[in-house]
């Protein structure tokens, strides 16, 4: 591998390690050399090393506790998404991962995600499921709280209203979440 770093043909190295899933693409792709494709950070061994560090840091019981809390928060966020009929959840929640989209054209969901990320208030990543553009919202931090989710959901709803208005869609038919 060292030869590839100092070799003249960087294209073969790039082709070897190139990973281009939708969630890693961004509007600045191709403007500069992306060194992500020149290494092996997404390999199985490298992921195993990251897991080893997590286990050393938290221990088994600490990791279990964190995962359970993240799943509980993901269930709460899923309920928030389901409470607004402008959104749909095209795939089942998986641990701390919720995918959702605006009902209608994929371009509306894509515009929603771009506005959310460019606001700098939150970050989510895109994905494509059965030809539908969806937003991947993950809860993976031990510091995430229910208040964080409520804040993010308010940002998502407000931005969705703006996007729908840009498309000439005015929606007043929203379900309400019963207070707990």
């Amino acid at each position: 591998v060292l030869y590839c770093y100092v070799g003249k043909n960087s294209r073969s190295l790039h082709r070897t390690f190139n990973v281009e899933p939708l969630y890693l693409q961004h509007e600045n792709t191709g403007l500069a050399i992306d060194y992500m494709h020149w290494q092996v950070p997404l390999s199985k061994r490298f992921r195993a090393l990251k897991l080893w560090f997590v286990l050393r840091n938290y221990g088994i019981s600490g990791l279990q506790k964190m995962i359970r809390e993240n799943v509980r928060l993901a269930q709460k966020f899923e309920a928030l998404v389901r409470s607004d009929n402008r959104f749909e959840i095209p795939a089942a929640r998986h641990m701390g991962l919720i995918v959702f989209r605006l009902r209608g054209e994929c371009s509306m969901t894509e515009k929603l995600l771009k506005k959310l990320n460019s606001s700098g208030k939150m970050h989510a990543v895109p994905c494509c499921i059965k030809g539908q553009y969806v937003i991947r919202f993950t809860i993976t931090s031990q510091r995430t709280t229910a208040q964080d989710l409520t804040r993010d959901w308010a940002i998502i709803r407000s931005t969705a209203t703006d996007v729908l208005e840009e498309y000439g869609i005015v929606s007043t038919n929203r379900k309400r979440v019963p207070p707990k």
Side-chain angles (χ1 to χ4, degrees), residues 32-84:
I33 296 172
D34 192 347
Y35 292 106
M36 173 184 74
H37 303 298
W38 291 41
Q39 54 186 334
V40 291
L42 299 176
S43 69
K44 287 181 184 178
R45 287 184 179 179
F46 193 78
R47 289 191 313 254
L49 181 63
K50 289 189 282 187
L51 177 61
W52 182 80
F53 278 113
V54 168
L55 288 172
R56 294 273 300 171
N57 190 39
Y58 293 104
I60 297 291
S61 61
L63 183 59
Q64 289 172 334
K65 179 182 175 190
M66 185 175 71
I67 290 171
R68 287 185 182 114
E69 178 61 11
N70 288 345
V71 169
R72 185 190 70 75
L73 291 171
Q75 290 168 335
K76 179 179 174 66
F77 187 79
E78 181 182 26
L80 291 170
V81 175
R82 290 190 188 282
S83 72
D84 190 327

Side-chain angles (χ1 to χ4, degrees), residues 83-138:
S83 72
D84 190 327
N85 65 3
R86 300 176 300 171
F87 293 91
E88 63 183 344
I89 298 177
R93 175 188 43 78
H94 182 73
M95 295 182 71
L97 171 67
I98 303 99
V99 294
F100 65 95
R101 64 186 307 275
L102 280 169
R103 294 184 189 274
E105 300 174 21
C106 289
S107 60
M108 293 189 303
T109 303
E110 187 173 359
K111 188 165 203 160
L112 172 62
L113 179 63
K114 285 182 180 178
K115 282 182 166 252
L116 289 170
N117 287 343
S118 66
S119 74
K121 296 176 184 173
M122 62 168 287
H123 181 75
V125 294
C127 185
C128 189
I129 297 177
K130 297 180 183 174
Q132 291 184 319
Y133 190 93
V134 298
I135 297 173
R136 292 168 43 117
F137 187 90
T138 57

Side-chain angles (χ1 to χ4, degrees), residues 22-41:
L22 183 60
Y23 60 87
L24 290 179
Q25 296 173 12
H26 50 84
E27 49 275 347
N28 297 321
T29 300
L31 296 178
I33 296 172
D34 192 347
Y35 292 106
M36 173 184 74
H37 303 298
W38 291 41
Q39 54 186 334
V40 291

